[in-house]
Amino acid sequence: MASKVAAKFVSYRVSQVALASHYTDKEPVVAAGSWDEGPSNRIQLLGYGPKLDAEGSPRLLAVHRCHGDVMCLRFDPIYQNLFVGLGTGELVAMATTAEEEPGSNNGSGERQRPRLLRQLGQGWRPSTDSFGSGAVSALAIRDGWHALAGWESGRLVCCSLAVEVPDGGCSDAATLRPASGCGRESVGLDSCCVTGADFIDQNAACTVNSMGQLKLWDLRTGLGQYDKVLTVAGDPKAMHCARRHPAQPHLVATGASGGCLCLWDLRQEKFPVSIVELDDGHVTQVEFHPVQGDLLFVSTMAGQLYAIRLSDSGGGGSAALTDNPHLTAVLPASQKLPVNSFCLGEDFLCAGTEDELLYAAAGVCL
Amino acid sequence: RLGDASVGSSAETREALLRCSKEYRALMHDCASELMDSAAAATDEPEAAAFLENQSQLLAACQILWHLVEILWVAPRYQSAAAAPQILLELVDWARLHCPQPDRWIAELLESANATDAPELHQRFWDSLYLLVLQGRTVDARNLLSQHSQAGRQQQLKDAMELLNMPKYSFVRDSQSVRKFDVAHCLWQKDVRVRLEAGLFAAHPQLELLVELLAGDEDAFARPEIVGLCDSWYQLLLARLLLTNPTGSLDCLGREAPEAEALYKRDRPSQRDGDGDGLLDGVLVRLLFDGQVGQFLAEAAGCLGSNWWFVAHLADLLHHCLGGEVGGCSGGGFGAIREHFLLEYSHSMLGRAALWQLAVSYLDYCSNYGRHYQPSPHAAAATPQEALLVRVPPESQRKAEQIFAACHARGLLDSANTVARTVARRALDKGCLGNALTWAIRARDPRLVAAIADKFLLGAGGDSAGLARAASADALDCLATSALLSNRMAFLCQYKLFHDRVSAGQLAEAADVAAQLLSSRMIPRRYWLSLLQDCLPLLELRHQAVFTSAQLFDLMHALAELRQADCAPAERLSVVQASLSDALRRAMIDENFHYSSASSSLMELMLACRFSASANSRHRSWLLRRVSMATHSAGAESSDWFRGSAGASSRFLTPFSSWTRVWKLGSTMYSMKPATLYIDRLELIIKSDATQLNGEWTRIKDNGKYESRALSRQSMLILPRIPRNPHTSLRASQNDGFQVVNRRRRDDKTVAAGSERKRQQARRAYTPRWTQEAKRRPMLARTPKWRRSRKFKICVRAASGTLTTAQMKHQSA
């Protein structure tokens, strides 16, 4: 599958990884966050060399200490800000480039390579209620400024990063707050833990929860009431992640307990287009290849990271999974503990595991 | 990494294990280097730097010991007798790798030689030469000696350089090669001794000492300047063995170790056991040389304190290399030691919360004491693995998922349920009912699911709106069979289904759900009225009969129980009752209600009469007529209908003593087709029930006259007074019935006129006709024929208690 796979022992359980952006495939920059480390939790910014040079060992560019577990990490693709969801329930935005104004160009039209981690203003959390919101459990980013975040309590918030640059020009005044342009209600409540979220388009988003429901939200009407709810027939299986197709936004892939991978066509009613059971472990993350849309990557709690080729179902250009898809393992077979997260570029893949390893793979296109 | 890989000594396995061992050593080396770098970087934190440096040194020492074990026990050639010289060479190399002084000295010496042109004058020149010889690096020694300023001129130096061509052993899997090397070595050493004894080097004491070392002279090795050069006793031991007995078996290591140790410590009186640099002070190495691996691991565990990783991994490696047959241990003894270390290591990891997964995965390989060990065979105690998994705190949903998955992956379903229960309870305490429900379902815990359903209902209060609000939680949407874990949860789900169907316009299905909910009694009684009130809009739909009569009967039963229990406001009950009775009338008309021998339906019809008694007199009359029809047909077809009906409908009969009396009466008189009689009597009973009358009753005398007397419990069968003009009430019933029908026809024009006509015709079949005979003898016409029969009279007497059963049979015959 991958032409080269390198592993780096990082001495912390990698909870989340995020790739700075696709253009840096030649020299990718990855943010990796730890969890369950108590006060030693951290976010590291790691830079890989071109084609995973010599040992494939990344260089440490920056470190930021966190108060809680790093539950979600997302780079926004435009401004290179890093959005972090913490186990304390706090949502934090961080600048990764050196400009005074986050995301500005350096004059040559080329964006700077992320090389630092600086928190922008204060973290944000939903107003406290009787039972607290729990950890941030889902996070999606849209057009650089908007973030859709879900909490364990089921709370759902559409945030925007508001930068208030004072006269002095210091960008640290940036704050996160519920988005004003995100429909009437920017705060909603799901019935249980929101485990995954993604934007479908400018006006729609989808979330999955631990009850096994895929919910669609119309952001124009706000998060007060979901637009549609889709479920898998039978007893509920908790879903853990959701990702939409890069080119066909009506296609959404979700991963659930019991290694259950579902492909949904949102144009159809109620039930998924395809359901495949990969292995016994829960699906921890699912991602479409950013360029080859028929290539799906799935990581599981059994320590596997598979690449799956989708087949064309023939109807309306929609893709589907065959009953017994060919699973191509990306990581070595010795990996047994869960792959918690992975990020995907055009030709680069980075995966963080429970046994404190950070895998990097080049040449991931089949 | 080794896991449950095959244990054995095949060449492939041993090669693979050796590779693993080398990789592990490389990791230790990397870690030690990184720690040292970190220590160097932490200049502003001296304590942290010191700690890191200590850890680095510890890792380095561990790596040295590991390397030694690898040479002695892991390398595949261990079992070959021809391997001993090779192992000795490797041991000498091992000692050299971890004792780098000569290289440093040579570098210093060569630098200074540029300035002086006489390196032999450097204080470390001869020391370096001796050390090189002791380490078996005779080629390096010869090169160094060639740097001597007189090397080309003095014959002694030339001879010494010639003698430094010591034979080298190269390993071949053949004992022949050992003998050849032995011969070569003996010849070479004999040559050395000859030249030494000839006094060739007497004029040059430093050179003479060097040659004495080459000759394997024991006294030379005991010289203080030689012993002082060695960092450790085992370096001295290995050098002696290399130069005196290079082909000896490995047993020599253990045999000669004490002597070398004593020699080494002779010049270092302050250094005793345990006073050295910890791991490498000699105790552990001596145990290894003695072949006591088990003892070595135990000592190492003691020296390393909480660093169980070293002994655990090393024991595991040795277990895979050698099986149970390891020095000092035999049979399964070593397996037990290995497992002990793995257990200790996994327990030591519990100190750091982040390592619970690793700890559990180590226990996977402790088959005796980790996965299946029961501390007490009689008590259902948890295995260490179960105990560990249950103790990991599930702070977040994600971590809980991982713990739950880890339990499931190992087949520990009880532990998985315990974890799920814990998470569910925590979520319940926080008020996150959706999460609590998710985990309670995973725990398959009916009581917890019921508790969560109670929480849902508690938030709902007792009113209909609250209940609807509770059921609107979409967490209830996809429970499927999981809802069956608890009656209350099933009720909530069904209640939600009812509302969903009403919202979707599927009214008949919604009615079905409501009737099922009430008839199955899964719904708590305090919510019955709420549900009935929710049904009111459906009941009052005049253009559409949403409920069937059977469903309405179910609703009536519930309402009757509510009224009996007196747990709801009477006015609200009355509203529901009125709607119910109206809906029942319309449903019966729609269904062309006809009774055969469906006894339970008959009783339900009677119940409906009771309802209508207090609701609407016209409905009551209409229903009474239906009872009459049903009773008549049932009596004609089945003799057991009353008994059956009592069984089927006992649940609603029980509270009503009057109905019990009816049943008793019927059971005696079943053969008499007493339809009309019943109608009259039912009406009275209903009235008495409604008005709580305990008034005058009549008793039929033997002479056929009626006697009024007070109601007494002793009278077995008490009949109410038969009206003198029963036709009046019957006619009134008929008229009422027609009026109802007509009114309904006005209400709903869509009903087919044909079907209505049929119903009216059917009704007329039971109506006394006003024929000419009837006009002449009105009383005769008004009394049905069967009522005038002898059988009926006998039955009436029997019922009134004036005729025994035997007499009745006799008279009937």
Side-chain angles (χ1 to χ4, degrees), chain A residues 13 15-16 35-37 71 131 152 191-193 210-211 213 215 226 234-236 238 240 282 301 340 354, chain B residues 352 354 356-357 396-399 401-402 405 430 432 434-435 438 442 474-475 477-482:
Chain A
R13 289 165 67 197
S15 166
Q16 287 286 316
W35 76 313
D36 232 0
E37 301 278 339
M71 304 302 282
F131 48 83
E152 282 186 350
S191 55
C192 49
C193 175
S210 59
M211 191 55 86
Q213 295 169 317
K215 287 182 176 173
Y226 59 82
D235 280 337
H240 302 295
H282 300 343
M301 237 182 233
N340 284 330
E354 194 68 11
Chain B
R352 198 177 143 205
W356 67 268
Q357 285 234 47
S396 63
Q397 293 281 319
R398 199 167 133 198
K399 190 169 177 184
E401 287 280 1
Q402 285 205 343
K430 286 182 179 177
C432 301
N435 287 341
T438 315
R442 290 192 194 184
D474 55 9
D477 261 339
C478 47
L479 291 186
T481 56
S482 308

Side-chain angles (χ1 to χ4, degrees), chain B residues 396-694:
Chain B
S396 63
Q397 293 281 319
R398 199 167 133 198
K399 190 169 177 184
E401 287 280 1
Q402 285 205 343
I403 302 167
F404 188 77
C407 292
H408 258 281
R410 289 162 178 85
L412 306 174
L413 299 183
D414 287 344
S415 303
N417 289 346
T418 308
V419 171
R421 210 173 291 127
T422 308
V423 182
R425 285 201 185 283
R426 291 169 79 143
L428 192 60
D429 291 344
K430 286 182 179 177
C432 301
L433 296 185
N435 287 341
L437 182 58
T438 315
W439 284 101
I441 289 170
R442 290 192 194 184
R444 315 298 297 174
D445 187 338
R447 281 200 295 184
L448 199 51
V449 172
I452 294 164
D454 278 346
K455 281 267 184 183
F456 270 109
L457 294 172
L458 196 68
D463 62 332
S464 178
L467 192 59
R469 200 168 51 244
S472 67
D474 55 9
L476 306 177
D477 261 339
C478 47
L479 291 186
T481 56
S482 308
L484 300 177
L485 283 171
S486 146
N487 268 352
R488 287 181 196 167
M489 191 51 73
F491 152 62
L492 260 181
C493 290
Q494 287 291 305
Y495 187 75
K496 181 174 172 52
L497 184 67
F498 167 73
H499 272 284
D500 288 349
R501 292 198 165 161
V502 170
S503 308
Q506 301 170 335
L507 301 184
E509 289 83 353
D512 191 35
V513 171
Q516 278 180 12
L517 269 175
L518 285 168
S519 64
S520 64
R521 297 296 193 269
M522 72 168 57
I523 166 170
R525 184 177 280 173
R526 61 188 159 139
Y527 295 110
W528 287 10
L529 186 58
S530 299
L531 182 58
L532 286 167
Q533 283 180 326
D534 285 342
C535 293
L536 281 180
L538 305 185
L539 290 171
E540 289 168 0
L541 280 176
R542 295 201 169 273
H543 64 282
Q544 185 183 359
V546 176
F547 286 90
T548 65
S549 57
Q551 290 167 347
L552 287 167
F553 287 137
D554 287 334
L555 267 58
M556 283 175 176
H557 297 158
L559 194 57
E561 275 194 45
L562 272 184
R563 194 177 278 284
Q564 179 71 13
D566 198 19
C567 59
E571 60 274 16
R572 287 168 69 185
L573 289 179
S574 301
V575 171
V576 176
Q577 185 168 323
S579 293
L580 266 179
S581 102
D582 193 38
L584 179 64
R585 176 182 56 78
R586 281 184 280 116
M588 289 170 106
I589 292 167
D590 266 9
E591 293 166 15
N592 191 11
F593 193 78
H594 173 70
Y595 277 91
S596 60
S597 61
S599 50
S600 62
S601 299
L602 179 61
M603 296 309 287
E604 282 157 357
L605 197 54
M606 290 177 173
L607 183 73
C609 292
R610 183 175 181 276
F611 265 86
S612 60
S614 58
N616 185 320
S617 62
R618 281 184 301 186
H619 296 171
R620 171 175 52 85
S621 305
W622 189 85
L623 283 165
L624 281 171
R625 178 164 173 69
R626 288 289 173 280
V627 174
S628 156
M629 289 150 55
T631 312
H632 185 69
S633 61
E637 291 173 20
S638 165
S639 60
D640 274 344
W641 61 273
F642 257 125
R643 289 194 194 101
S645 68
S649 307
S650 59
R651 68 170 189 272
F652 65 87
L653 268 180
T654 315
F656 304 109
S657 55
S658 310
W659 292 107
T660 316
R661 286 199 295 275
V662 170
W663 175 76
K664 283 179 180 171
L665 176 69
S667 63
T668 314
M669 302 176 65
Y670 60 86
S671 60
M672 301 304 297
K673 307 185 186 69
T676 313
L677 180 71
Y678 280 172
I679 292 166
D680 298 339
R681 227 142 283 169
L682 283 170
E683 194 169 11
L684 284 173
I685 291 169
I686 288 160
K687 279 178 180 167
S688 73
D689 218 25
T691 57
Q692 300 293 315
L693 277 178
N694 277 331

